[in-house]
C-alpha cells in the first residue's frame, strides 16, 4: 500500500515557500458545506486543524461519507484537471482552519516554475493513489462483511 503523504511536507522547502506565497488563511464552522459535487473547482485547501468529510450523494436524500480528512491533508484536486468540477462534496465535520489556494494562480506559478509544477502534480498523484488504495480496501472489507452475512 502507498504511504499517506501531505502536500506541504512533501514539497522541498523552496517550493513549499513559493506555494505558500499564494496561501490565504480561512476557516469553516462545523457543518459548513465547503463545496458540492458538480460545482466549479477553482481552489483547494490544506487543512490546518479540524476534520472534513468528503461525501457522495447516493439518493436525493442520502449522502455517503467516502473519506475523512484532517490536519495536513489536501482538500480538493479537481482544480488541477479539466473540466474543473468537484467530483465529491465536502462538509466541515468540526471547526476547520485551512490554507486556501486559488487554483488558476497556482497553475500559473507551476507553468512559470516547471519544477514546482512537476512536484505539485506528482505529489497530488501520490495523494490520489493512496486514497484510491484506501477506498479499495474499504470496499473489499464491505464486500467481505456482506458475503459473510449472507447478503450477497
Amino acid at each position: 500500500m502507498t504511504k499517506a503523504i501531505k502536500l506541504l511536507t512533501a514539497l522541498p522547502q523552496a517550493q513549499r515557500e513559493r506555494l505558500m506565497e499564494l496561501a490565504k488563511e480561512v476557516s469553516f464552522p462545523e457543518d459548513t458545506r465547503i463545496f458540492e459535487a458538480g460545482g466549479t473547482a477553482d481552489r483547494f485547501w490544506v487543512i490546518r486543524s479540524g476534520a472534513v468529510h468528503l461525501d457522495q450523494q447516493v439518493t436525493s436524500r442520502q449522502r455517503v461519507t467516502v473519506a475523512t480528512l484532517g490536519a495536513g491533508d489536501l482538500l480538493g484536486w479537481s482544480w488541477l484537471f479539466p473540466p474543473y468540477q468537484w467530483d465529491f462534496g465536502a462538509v466541515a465535520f468540526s471547526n476547520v482552519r485551512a490554507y486556501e489556494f486559488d487554483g488558476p494562480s497556482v497553475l500559473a506559478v507551476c507553468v512559470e516554475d516547471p519544477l514546482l509544477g512537476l512536484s505539485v502534480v506528482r505529489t497530488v498523484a501520490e495523494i490520489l493513489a493512496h486514497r484510491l488504495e484506501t477506498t479499495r480496501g474499504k470496499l473489499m472489507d464491505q464486500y467481505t462483511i456482506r458475503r459473510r452475512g449472507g447478503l450477497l
Side-chain angles (χ1 to χ4, degrees), residues 6 11 17-18 61 90 93 112 119 127 137 142 146 150:
K6 311 293 184 183
L11 295 175
E17 289 172 1
R18 179 69 177 110
R61 295 188 310 227
F93 182 68
E112 291 171 15
S119 292
I127 291 167
Q142 287 290 35
R146 286 192 173 138

Side-chain angles (χ1 to χ4, degrees), residues 17-145:
E17 289 172 1
R18 179 69 177 110
L19 187 63
M20 288 304 295
E21 291 173 6
L22 303 173
K24 174 175 91 171
E25 292 187 32
V26 297
S27 61
F28 301 101
E30 182 177 353
D31 295 328
T32 299
R33 178 138 304 268
I34 301 168
F35 57 82
E36 188 65 69
T40 301
D42 60 356
R43 61 199 63 246
F44 67 95
W45 301 263
V46 173
I47 300 169
R48 296 177 60 211
S49 65
V52 173
H53 282 187
L54 294 179
D55 60 24
Q56 185 70 56
Q57 189 90 34
V58 291
T59 68
S60 61
R61 295 188 310 227
Q62 183 185 12
R63 293 179 189 270
V64 173
T65 297
V66 296
T68 300
L69 307 177
D73 286 334
L74 171 68
L75 171 59
W77 52 267
S78 298
W79 61 276
L80 191 54
F81 305 103
Y84 308 108
Q85 293 182 321
W86 300 118
D87 289 314
F88 301 99
V91 64
F93 182 68
S94 63
N95 292 327
V96 172
R97 292 176 44 224
Y99 293 117
E100 181 178 87
F101 298 86
D102 177 72
S105 297
V106 171
L107 289 172
V109 169
C110 288
V111 168
E112 291 171 15
D113 182 349
L115 290 178
L116 173 61
L118 181 60
S119 292
V120 168
V121 170
R122 279 187 171 169
T123 303
V124 171
E126 287 183 54
I127 291 167
L128 293 177
H130 176 75
R131 289 188 188 167
L132 179 60
E133 283 187 34
T134 301
T135 301
R136 183 174 41 232
K138 288 179 184 177
L139 287 172
M140 293 305 290
D141 289 346
Q142 287 290 35
Y143 177 77
T144 301
I145 290 168

